[in-house]
């Protein structure tokens, strides 16, 4: 066993040296730090690194498994992640060095800077590339473009023992305040907080405010990044939000950036910390055409139009950031107080506001663009989860909030569907199965509408899942794609003409 672990330590340090993650003068220091992390007091120095070096993440697994076997750590996902993060921290530069190099590369180009930071975040295992590869991905062609479907298998599910341990551990020590706070940088983590020893954040100013840039550990698309406020404060959509989004795409023109809505049901999962999501990915909504152009009488430099999309989207574009910011703010203010009971839109009940937007910014063909997706979080007896939320007949596939990423055309579906859809396929083929009852009506409809064989069943189910996601987006749209809904949307647009 000692020879195996000694070889793993030797190889890990050599990989760091070859990749220039470890300076020659730091080799012994890093080697001794690694020995301490895995609970060894000595190393066979007669060993040499393997001629053909293994993958670094495979070596990482060997190191963590050794620590488990020697009872240096317990065999649960949390303690394994904490140790792995500490080990990868050995080859991760300090924040000061990463920020220095990032901004040095930024002078070459913004894309060069983000490519450096993105690659580093993958190589040091902060971005969980192996877990992300487990996700099931496919597309659904629709009249609105190709919707993207992801069954999210990347985030590990806690085993029963770890769940039991987590219940007895403190839920929070009050530090870091939340998962997005900058205090997470380098934080060890514990049973109820993810390991962050190898986590790094780029510091930057957004409209003269202190912000950070990091990547998502479980990315859903290319260069999935997060811009976060240094101050822990709630998300709030206001005029300054649009200015900050446009300032970000000015500084990173190869990225889109957007904000979740700021109300429950239609908002994101973390409304307590002001942050945005972005990245280098083109979603179907970005390619959607303008269905109904209109003029903004008070902002002649801003082009406006209703977008051909299942949700209700107003697209603004201009070369003038200030005018675009002001126009977006005007539309948000009007929408906050807008009601049209003929299409079930009510702005507020008993003093509670219901209208907000999901804004997305990008730089496109020399102009700044802002997409404002109109949202309403009202509930009713018929729709207790939300009138403009996935309705009950599609919740067997998607019942969670429709956030920024889904709005743009990428479904993030729960991991339970991997097994559940396999059972649907067996049911359709009339094989022994354990079909979840929530899928039965849907499966029966598929069975009655298609000729199903072993060769076609997988495609049929995926197509059907894509159709359900389209319905999810239509449910979330405040102005429906019916003639009545389109007329009501155009009526709203005429207030600005």
């Amino acid at each position: 066993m000692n020879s195996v672990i000694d070889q793993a330590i030797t190889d890990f340090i050599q990989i760091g040296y070859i990749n220039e993650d470890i300076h020659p003068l730091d080799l012994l220091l890093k080697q001794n730090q690694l020995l301490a992390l895995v609970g060894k007091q000595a190393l066979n120095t007669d060993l040499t690194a393997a001629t053909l070096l293994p993958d670094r993440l495979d070596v990482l697994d060997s190191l963590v498994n050794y620590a488990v076997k020697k009872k240096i750590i317990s065999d649960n996902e949390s303690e394994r992640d904490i140790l792995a993060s500490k080990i990868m921290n050995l080859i991760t530069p300090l924040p000061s060095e990463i920020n220095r190099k990032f901004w040095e590369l930024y002078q070459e180009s913004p894309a060069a800077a983000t490519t450096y930071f993105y690659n580093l975040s993958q190589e040091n295992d902060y971005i969980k590339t192996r877990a992300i590869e487990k996700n099931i991905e496919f597309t659904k062609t629709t009249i609105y473009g190709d919707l993207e479907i992801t069954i999210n298998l990347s985030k590990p599910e806690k085993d029963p023992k770890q769940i039991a341990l987590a219940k007895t551990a403190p839920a929070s020590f009050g530090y870091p305040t939340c998962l997005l706070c900058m205090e997470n940088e380098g934080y060890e983590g514990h049973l109820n907080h993810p390991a962050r020893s190898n986590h790094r954040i780029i510091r930057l100013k957004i409209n003269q405010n202190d912000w950070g840039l990091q990547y998502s550990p479980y990315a859903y698309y290319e260069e999935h990044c997060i811009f976060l406020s240094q101050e822990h404060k709630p998300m709030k959509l206001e005029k300054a939000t649009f200015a900050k989004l446009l300032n970000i795409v000015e500084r990173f023109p190869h990225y889109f950036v957007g904000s979740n809505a700021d109300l429950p049901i239609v908002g994101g999962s973390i409304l307590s910390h002001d942050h945005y999501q972005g990245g280098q990915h083109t979603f179907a909504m970005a390619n959607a055409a303008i269905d109904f152009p209109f003029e903004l009488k008070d902002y002649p430099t801003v082009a406006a139009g209703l977008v051909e999309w299942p949700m209700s989207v107003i697209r603004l574009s201009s070369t003038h950031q200030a005018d675009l910011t002001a126009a977006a703010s005007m539309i948000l203010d009007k929408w906050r107080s807008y009601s049209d009971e003929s299409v079930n839109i009510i702005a507020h009940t008993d003093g509670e506001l219901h209208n907000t937007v999901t804004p997305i910014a990008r730089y496109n063909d020399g102009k700044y663009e802002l997409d404002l997706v109109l949202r309403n979080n009202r509930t009713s007896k018929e729709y207790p989860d939300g009138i403009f939320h996935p309705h009950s007949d599609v919740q067997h596939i998607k019942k969670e909030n429709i956030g920024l990423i889904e709005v743009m055309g990428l479904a993030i579906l729960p991991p339970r569907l991997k097994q559940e859809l396999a059972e649907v396929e067996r049911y359709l083929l009339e094989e022994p199965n354990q079909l979840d009852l929530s899928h039965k009506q849907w499966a029966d409809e598929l069975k009655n509408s298609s000729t199903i064989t072993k060769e076609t069943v997988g495609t049929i189910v995926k197509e059907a899942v894509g159709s359900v996601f389209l319905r999810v987006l239509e449910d979330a749209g405040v102005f429906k794609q019916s003639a009545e809904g389109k007329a009501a949307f155009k009526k709203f647009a005429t207030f600005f003409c």
Side-chain angles (χ1 to χ4, degrees):
M1 181 65 174
N2 277 340
S3 62
V4 173
I5 190 61
D6 286 0
Q7 188 67 60
I9 292 170
T10 302
D11 289 347
F12 186 87
I13 297 299
Q14 181 67 9
I15 292 168
Y17 170 69
I18 289 175
N19 291 351
E20 299 183 349
D21 299 319
I22 303 177
H23 190 278
L25 294 180
D26 298 331
L27 287 171
L28 286 176
L29 173 69
K30 297 295 183 180
Q31 179 174 284
N32 287 329
Q33 289 175 331
L34 182 53
L35 282 170
L37 286 174
V38 299
K40 274 183 66 67
Q41 283 73 46
L43 180 70
N44 180 358
T45 55
D46 291 332
L47 284 176
T48 58
T51 304
L52 182 62
L53 285 167
D55 181 85
R56 179 150 60 190
L57 294 182
D58 291 337
V59 181
L60 178 65
D61 291 341
S62 298
L63 296 168
V64 173
N65 288 336
Y66 172 84
V68 169
K69 185 166 185 177
K70 291 298 182 179
K71 301 190 183 304
I72 304 301
I73 62 170
S74 298
D75 189 11
N76 63 64
E77 197 69 40
S78 180
E79 292 198 37
R80 282 176 168 271
D81 285 347
I82 288 171
L83 179 58
S85 180
K86 286 179 177 180
I87 292 171
M88 297 309 286
N89 182 51
L90 296 178
I91 54 91
T92 304
L94 291 171
S96 56
E97 172 59 20
I98 290 175
N99 275 264
R100 182 198 63 77
K101 187 165 184 179
F102 181 92
W103 292 112
E104 183 180 278
L105 288 168
Y106 185 88
Q107 299 307 310
E108 177 185 325
S109 76
T114 55
T115 296
Y116 155 72
F117 187 41
Y118 182 63
N119 288 341
L120 184 149
S121 299
Q122 293 180 97
E123 290 164 3
N124 79 344
D125 199 39
Y126 179 72
I127 297 175
K128 303 299 182 183
T129 54
R130 292 185 295 180
I132 293 167
E133 288 174 355
K134 297 176 183 177
N135 290 342
I136 297 171
E137 300 176 347
F138 53 95
T139 60
K140 164 68 177 178
T141 300
T142 74
I143 59 172
Y144 305 103
D146 288 345
L147 301 180
E148 299 170 90
I149 315 296
T150 295
I151 298 177
N152 179 27
L153 303 174
S154 59
K155 290 187 179 180
E157 296 186 36
K158 293 181 179 179
D159 61 49
K161 288 183 180 179
Q162 185 171 341
I163 292 171
L165 285 171
K167 287 180 179 178
T168 62
S172 171
F173 295 99
Y175 179 92
T177 305
C178 80
L179 293 173
L180 288 178
C181 283
M182 288 198 175
E183 290 82 8
N184 283 279
E185 187 176 48
Y187 188 66
E188 178 180 85
H190 51 79
L191 283 168
N192 286 307
H193 196 99
R196 291 291 182 261
S197 293
N198 57 340
H199 176 36
R200 300 293 186 266
I201 302 172
I202 299 299
R203 270 57 171 191
L204 66 158
K205 294 280 188 182
I206 302 297
N207 277 17
Q208 306 308 312
N209 296 310
D210 291 323
W211 278 63
L213 163 64
Q214 66 182 56
Y215 287 100
S216 172
Y218 298 100
Y220 295 133
Y221 51 83
E222 295 89 336
E223 299 187 40
H224 182 178
C225 65
I226 299 170
F227 293 90
L228 54 121
S229 170
Q230 180 170 298
E231 180 185 356
H232 178 78
K233 61 180 181 180
M235 290 181 62
K236 183 181 179 182
L237 281 170
E238 55 188 352
K239 184 177 182 179
T241 304
F242 306 126
K244 284 182 282 192
L245 293 175
L246 292 171
N247 186 229
I248 288 171
V249 295
E250 177 186 18
R251 302 187 71 181
F252 301 97
H254 58 302
Y255 276 2
F256 82 90
V257 63
S259 172
N260 271 304
D262 57 350
L263 293 177
I265 297 177
V266 297
S269 58
I270 303 179
L271 296 178
S272 61
H273 194 116
D274 197 10
H275 72 285
Y276 312 131
Q277 296 182 76
Q280 192 166 8
H281 186 76
T282 302
F283 295 87
M285 192 180 81
N287 290 327
I290 297 295
D291 182 47
F292 176 72
F294 62 95
E295 295 182 354
L296 301 176
K297 62 181 179 181
D298 295 328
Y299 300 97
T301 65
V302 178
L306 308 185
V307 179
E308 192 173 351
W309 190 248
M311 295 186 71
S312 307
V313 185
I314 296 175
R315 179 167 296 158
L316 307 176
S317 65
S318 178
T319 57
H320 302 276
Q321 281 192 44
D323 288 353
L324 197 52
T325 297
S329 181
M330 175 194 67
I331 291 172
L332 174 61
D333 288 345
K334 182 64 181 178
W335 175 242
R336 293 273 197 205
S337 61
Y338 187 79
S339 295
D340 186 345
E341 295 191 29
S342 71
V343 287
N344 219 12
I345 296 172
I346 298 175
H348 52 83
T349 54
D350 300 324
E352 180 186 355
L353 296 177
H354 297 301
N355 287 350
T356 187
V357 301
T358 300
I360 300 102
R362 62 185 77 88
Y363 188 73
N364 189 15
D365 290 335
K367 292 184 178 181
Y368 297 99
E369 282 185 357
L370 265 177
D371 281 355
L372 305 179
V373 187
L374 307 186
R375 312 298 302 273
N376 179 289
N377 77 340
R378 194 162 67 89
T379 61
S380 66
K381 288 183 179 179
E382 184 180 2
Y383 300 112
D385 296 320
I387 296 171
F388 304 103
H389 180 79
H391 293 169
S392 58
D393 63 319
V394 294
Q395 288 185 6
H396 64 106
I397 296 294
K398 176 71 173 177
K399 62 181 178 182
E400 297 79 12
N401 291 4
I402 304 306
L404 169 68
I405 296 171
E406 284 94 355
V407 159
M408 296 184 289
L410 195 164
I412 309 298
L413 301 180
R416 61 178 172 83
L417 288 177
K418 178 183 179 182
Q419 184 58 41
E420 290 180 13
L421 294 179
E423 298 299 332
V424 169
E425 291 185 18
R426 294 187 185 98
Y427 177 79
L428 294 176
L429 294 170
E430 298 184 349
E431 296 176 350
N433 63 83
Q434 295 180 317
L435 180 71
D436 190 290
L437 288 178
S438 67
H439 298 300
K440 188 173 186 308
Q441 181 178 345
W442 176 65
D444 286 337
E445 290 171 358
L446 292 180
K447 185 182 287 189
N448 294 331
S449 63
S450 306
T451 300
I452 298 170
T453 66
K454 283 191 174 183
E455 291 72 29
T456 62
V457 66
T459 299
I460 289 170
V461 169
K462 286 179 179 178
E463 280 286 306
V465 169
S467 295
V468 169
F469 178 55
L470 175 57
R471 249 293 310 282
V472 163
L473 295 180
E474 290 171 341
D475 285 352
V478 293
F479 294 104
K480 303 305 180 186
Q481 290 299 304
S482 62
E484 179 188 29
K486 288 185 175 183
F489 199 5
K490 291 176 182 177
K491 178 184 173 184
F492 176 68
T494 60
F495 280 97
F496 311 107
C497 297

